Amino acid sequence: MAAPEPEAPTTARSRAKDHSPWNWLLFVPIVVPLIPAFFNADSPRLFGFPRFYWLQLAWILLGVATTTLVYRMTKKRGDH
């Protein structure tokens, strides 16, 4: 007879069932860079860089900011 498996921690189980509306914001940094209208021009230039290049950096900042916001808003009190 096999030994029973240990039960998963309650925090892992509660996070898996987190249906917070804040999680929908995580689609923003995925969908926004897929819109071609943002890339079909050379101007405006920022520090001499065409729009395509500096927008790549802007998408990274958008992703970091969105992920940080969602994490902080969905974090349970007492979690570290």
Side-chain angles (χ1 to χ4, degrees):
M1 194 159 130
E5 291 188 24
E7 190 172 317
T10 57
T11 57
R13 216 175 328 141
S14 64
R15 284 227 188 253
K17 294 183 179 186
D18 183 16
H19 297 298
S20 172
W22 287 101
N23 292 336
W24 286 103
L25 281 177
L26 294 174
F27 282 110
V28 171
I30 295 170
V31 173
V32 170
L34 297 175
I35 301 172
F38 288 122
F39 298 107
N40 65 357
D42 185 45
S43 62
R45 288 179 172 256
L46 186 64
F47 302 115
F49 291 102
R51 179 192 304 192
F52 176 82
Y53 293 108
W54 61 262
L55 269 180
Q56 298 303 308
L57 297 174
W59 301 147
I60 293 170
L61 296 176
L62 175 69
V64 169
T66 305
T67 305
T68 302
L69 176 68
V70 170
Y71 172 74
R72 290 184 181 213
M73 298 308 288
T74 59
K75 182 171 68 168
K76 305 259 191 266
R77 299 275 183 210
D79 285 353
H80 297 287

